[in-house]
Structure formats: structure tokens, C-alpha cells
């Protein structure tokens, strides 16, 4: 069966106290997954910089249902796209089984850059898909021209490392050693990656155990109802926040100095239009794709907007519901909608400038919501 065929029962209405309790319990599960990986990862990028994230996702849409408090913010927004990429793969492959785990790092299919490896696992209840759990972590070396994966002179992703589409790392609980052999053969530090992989798998094991315990305690329909209520509440609060902003078009733009290859500025431009309880974020005036490694994919652009909006509207709960009133205009193949094989290893530079542009546009619309722009670089 496909993911779309495996539905959960109709959820019941829940009282506010029960919802508050379940919100805390579910967030604790994901926080514990984060802590498990941070304490077991082999490489300091995850263990010390916390360059990782975990979450629980909708079985059909892949939308974010629950996220941890300590994960890298950009991953939180991007992981829903990663889960959707796996759902598409499942539908193409003809289904999945308990114990399956998908692995990939494709930056154009819900990823960010090649170092960020995603593990996506289905959670079954009584033979039906109930939810997805996912883990992402930045591995130290995945091949490419230079150690570590960040090649400032890259003009195509092949110079940045190995690109892996969604593949089954586990089939019905059995690890596919041909996949791990490919991973080992394409890294200068295979043992570090192996340690990080096992840390992510352990985090997923723990998360699945904790979620099953919660489901056994409250029932599948109750938890499914809580998921729906959380998303509906986030949507309602975001719509109320947008409604409080005067209708109109608010434009802001900034530039990246250059792409490291061609010494010309690259524009990140936003026209934000507020109409009632909806907002359109149109980046169509931004620069086209560049030669150097600071392009970002459409999913990364939307994830960066998610981070920006969560800073502007901190009272809105962090799940997929907060993006329901938002539309996006992103030109395919552009700087902010890059496709393969455009290099993307330095994506962090571009997302920070993009977040600042969202801040600038909303500051014009509602000065009381104004935030200072990010410092603009993480020194890539």
C-alpha cells in the first residue's frame, strides 16, 4: 500500500488541558532524540555545534507535526520536504514495511547541502502507517574535491561530494550493507560517518519507543487528534498575526557580495504582499543561479522563510500549520530555486541574507515587529 492509503482513525475533540499535556510529552520525545544524537555523534559539528535535528511528520503530507527545541532551525523547516521526497519514493517503489529506513542527502530533494544526511523512518500501528520520524545530521566528510565538503571554488555539486537520492538503508529491519559500503568508499573519514549514522539510528529507535509508549497510554486517535489540533492552532494564530498587519505590498532587498567565482553582487529581493489573513512572499526579482556554491534550493528558501517568520511571530506554535497562510514566489533555477547540479555547499551564507530580507520587509509593514538583520555570515 502507498502512504496515502494508510490512514489513522478520525480524531476526537480534545480539551485544552489534555492538549497541553500531550504537547509537552511529544516535544519531550523529540528533545530526547536530539540529546541522544548530540551525546553519541562522533563528529564535533553535531556533538558540539548541534548541527542536527529531529521531528515527527504527517503520514500522508509529510508536514511537520512536532519538532525539538534544540535542533538547527533551518533543518526544522527543510525536513518536511525531505519526508515528502521519501513519500514520493515510497509511492514509486510500491510501498514499505515496518523496519524500513530511508537515507539520503540530495540537496535538491528536500536537503540543504551534501553533508547533511537524512534518515526517515515510518512508524506503524497495527499494520497502518501512523507517522514518520526523521533525523538529520551534518557528517564531516562526504568526498568531493576538498576535505569537509565545502569547496569555495566549486561550480557544480560533483565537486562538493557524493549525492545520494532516497534509498532504503534498512529493509524490514535489515541493514543493506551495499549502501554502507558505498558510503564508506566515498568518505575520507568513514568511521566518523559510521558513528554519526549509528547515533541517528539510535535516536530514531528511542523516539519510536517513546512514541509507541505514548500511543499505548492515550490511544492512536487521541494523539492523531492532538496533531491536528496543534496544526490548526498554529494556522489560526498565524492568520491572526497577519491580519494585524495593514494590507499592502512591502519590498526589501539586499545583496551577497559575490559567489566566490565571479566578483559581482547577487541580489536577494522580496516583495511581501499582505491581503487579509494571507501573505505572499515573492522572491522573483532575486538573482539567477550563480556559478559558485551559494545557491539554495526551493525547499531551503521556504525553510529559511519559516525560520524568519518564527522569529517575527514567536507566539505562533512551531509546526506546519504556521505556513498554511503563506504563499511563495520562487523562480525555478534561480539563486533561491537552484536545481542540480548547481553547487550549494555554502548555502548558509544565502539563507542568512534571505532571513534578513524577510525581517526588512515585515519591518516596513509593522515596525513593532521589527528585528535587526542577522550578522550575515557563519564564516563559510
Amino acid at each position: 500500500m502507498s502512504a496515502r492509503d494508510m490512514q489513522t482513525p478520525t480524531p476526537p475533540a480534545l480539551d485544552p488541558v489534555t492538549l497541553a499535556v500531550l504537547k509537552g510529552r511529544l516535544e519531550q520525545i523529540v528533545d530526547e532524540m536530539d540529546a541522544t544524537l548530540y551525546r553519541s555523534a562522533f563528529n564535533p559539528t553535531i556533538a558540539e555545534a548541534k548541527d542536527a535535528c529531529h521531528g515527527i511528520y504527517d503520514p500522508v503530507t509529510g508536514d511537520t507535526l512536532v519538532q525539538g527545541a534544540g535542533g538547527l532551525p533551518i533543518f526544522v523547516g527543510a525536513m518536511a520536504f525531505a519526508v515528502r521526497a521519501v513519500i514520493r519514493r515510497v509511492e514509486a517503489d510500491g510501498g514499505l514495511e515496518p523496519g524500513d529506513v530511508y537515507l539520503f542527502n540530495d540537496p535538491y530533494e528536500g536537503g540543504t547541502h551534501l553533508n547533511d544526511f537524512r534518515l526517515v523512518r515510518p512508524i506503524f500501528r497495527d499494520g497502518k502507517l501512523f507517522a514518520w520520524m526523521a533525523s538529520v545530521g551534518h557528517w564531516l566528510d562526504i568526498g568531493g574535491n576538498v576535505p569537509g565538503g565545502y569547496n569555495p571554488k566549486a561550480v557544480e555539486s560533483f565537486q562538493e561530494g557524493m549525492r545520494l537520492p532516497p534509498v532504503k538503508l534498512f529493509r524490514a529491519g535489515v541493514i543493506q550493507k551495499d549502501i554502507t559500503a558505498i558510503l564508506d568508499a566515498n568518505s575520507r573519514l568513514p568511521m566518523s560517518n559510521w558513528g554519526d549514522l549509528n547515533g541517528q539510528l539510535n535516536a530514531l529507535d528511542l523516539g519510536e519507543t517513546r512514541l509507541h509508549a505514548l500511543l499505548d497510554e492515550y490511544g492512536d486517535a487521541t494523539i492523531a487528534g492532538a496533531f491536528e489540533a496543534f496544526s490548526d492552532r498554529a494556522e489560526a494564530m498565524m492568520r491572526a498575526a497577519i491580519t494585524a498587519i495593514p494590507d499592502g505590498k512591502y519590498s526589501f532587498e539586499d545583496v551577497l557580495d559575490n559567489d566566490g567565482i565571479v566578483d559581482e553582487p547577487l541580489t536577494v529581493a522580496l516583495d511581501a504582499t499582505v491581503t487579509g489573513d494571507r501573505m505572499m512572499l515573492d522572491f522573483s526579482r532575486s538573482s539567477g543561479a550563480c556559478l559558485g556554491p551559494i545557491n539554495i534550493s526551493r525547499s531551503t528558501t521556504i525553510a529559511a522563510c519559516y525560520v524568519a517568520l518564527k522569529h517575527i511571530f514567536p507566539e505562533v506554535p512551531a509546526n506546519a500549520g504556521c505556513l498554511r497562510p503563506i504563499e511563495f514566489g520562487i523562480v525555478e533555477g534561480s539563486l533561491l530555486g537552484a536545481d542540480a547540479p548547481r553547487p550549494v555547499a555554502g548555502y548558509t551564507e544565502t539563507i542568512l541574507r534571505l532571513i534578513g530580507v524577510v525581517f526588512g520587509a515585515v519591518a516596513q509593514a509593522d515596525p513593532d515587529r521589527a528585528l535587526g538583520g542577522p550578522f550575515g555570515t557563519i564564516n563559510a
Side-chain angles (χ1 to χ4, degrees):
M1 290 188 296
S2 70
R4 194 168 297 277
D5 294 326
M6 295 181 273
Q7 303 289 327
T8 54
T10 301
L14 296 172
D15 65 90
V17 173
T18 301
L19 283 172
V21 170
L22 292 178
K23 180 176 183 291
R25 291 281 297 273
L26 287 161
E27 289 175 352
Q28 177 61 34
I29 290 172
V30 184
D31 286 343
E32 197 172 355
M33 294 171 72
D34 284 344
T36 298
L37 179 57
Y38 299 152
R39 294 182 180 184
S40 59
F42 277 32
N43 94 73
T45 310
I46 296 176
E48 297 181 19
K50 295 180 168 52
D51 198 342
C53 178
H54 297 86
I56 304 173
Y57 303 86
D58 185 89
V60 176
T61 65
D63 287 348
T64 303
L65 299 173
V66 182
Q67 68 176 57
L72 194 70
I74 192 67
F75 287 162
V76 171
M79 284 296 282
F81 292 92
V83 176
R84 289 170 197 151
V86 169
I87 290 172
R88 290 193 297 271
R89 175 65 67 178
V90 169
E91 291 176 345
D93 290 347
L96 55 128
E97 302 174 85
D100 286 352
V101 178
Y102 278 85
L103 170 76
F104 76 107
N105 71 335
D106 191 331
Y108 317 102
E109 283 284 342
T112 35
H113 63 178
L114 294 175
N115 290 82
D116 299 332
F117 271 80
R118 287 152 168 78
L119 295 174
V120 181
R121 172 184 288 181
I123 306 299
F124 284 87
R125 296 286 290 180
D126 297 324
K128 294 183 179 180
L129 182 63
F130 180 81
W132 297 91
M133 278 191 168
S135 171
V136 57
H138 178 117
W139 293 8
L140 274 185
D141 187 271
I142 36 73
N145 281 16
V146 299
Y150 179 57
N151 177 7
K153 295 300 182 183
V155 295
E156 55 184 5
S157 64
F158 303 110
Q159 298 167 332
E160 297 179 322
M162 170 184 59
R163 176 181 162 204
L164 197 69
V167 295
K168 279 190 182 181
L169 177 65
F170 282 79
R171 291 180 180 272
V174 179
I175 193 167
Q176 305 302 291
K177 293 186 178 180
D178 53 348
I179 301 297
T180 59
I182 292 170
L183 296 173
D184 287 349
N186 282 276
S187 174
R188 299 171 180 87
L189 297 168
M191 284 304 297
S192 175
N193 293 348
W194 177 245
D196 294 341
L197 172 62
N198 278 281
Q200 289 179 258
L201 290 168
N202 288 336
L204 289 172
D205 287 344
L206 180 79
E208 182 171 7
T209 298
R210 296 285 192 264
L211 181 58
H212 279 304
L214 185 64
L215 290 165
D216 290 343
E217 182 177 348
Y218 282 89
D220 296 11
T222 296
I223 302 302
F227 287 150
E228 182 176 330
F230 297 152
S231 295
D232 289 347
R233 180 170 181 265
E235 178 184 2
M237 292 181 70
M238 181 60 83
R239 288 187 184 278
I242 295 172
T243 300
I245 298 174
D247 284 2
K249 181 178 178 180
Y250 306 93
S251 299
F252 195 88
E253 63 184 62
D254 201 349
V255 298
L256 292 152
D257 293 345
N258 56 64
D259 67 354
I261 305 295
V262 179
D263 191 13
E264 295 179 357
L266 296 162
T267 300
V268 179
L270 170 62
D271 297 311
T273 302
V274 176
T275 307
D277 63 354
R278 298 194 63 81
M279 180 183 290
M280 171 67 173
L281 300 179
D282 186 358
F283 294 95
S284 301
R285 295 189 297 108
S286 300
S287 293
C290 61
L291 284 176
I294 59 171
N295 301 282
I296 61 177
S297 65
R298 175 184 174 85
S299 60
T300 304
T301 294
I302 294 175
C305 292
Y306 175 87
V307 174
L309 292 169
K310 275 299 298 152
H311 280 80
I312 295 166
F313 307 110
E315 70 277 12
V316 179
N319 59 55
C322 69
L323 286 184
R324 289 176 185 168
I326 313 296
E327 297 177 59
F328 297 92
I330 303 166
V331 176
E332 185 176 351
S334 67
L335 174 69
L336 306 183
D339 46 23
R342 293 287 185 179
V344 296
Y347 83 99
T348 50
E349 303 304 296
T350 307
I351 63 172
L352 287 168
R353 199 56 47 90
L354 189 154
I355 290 169
V357 167
V358 176
F359 286 174
V362 174
Q364 294 181 37
D366 185 356
D368 290 339
R369 292 278 188 179
L371 295 170
F375 53 90
T377 181
I378 65 161
N379 303 317

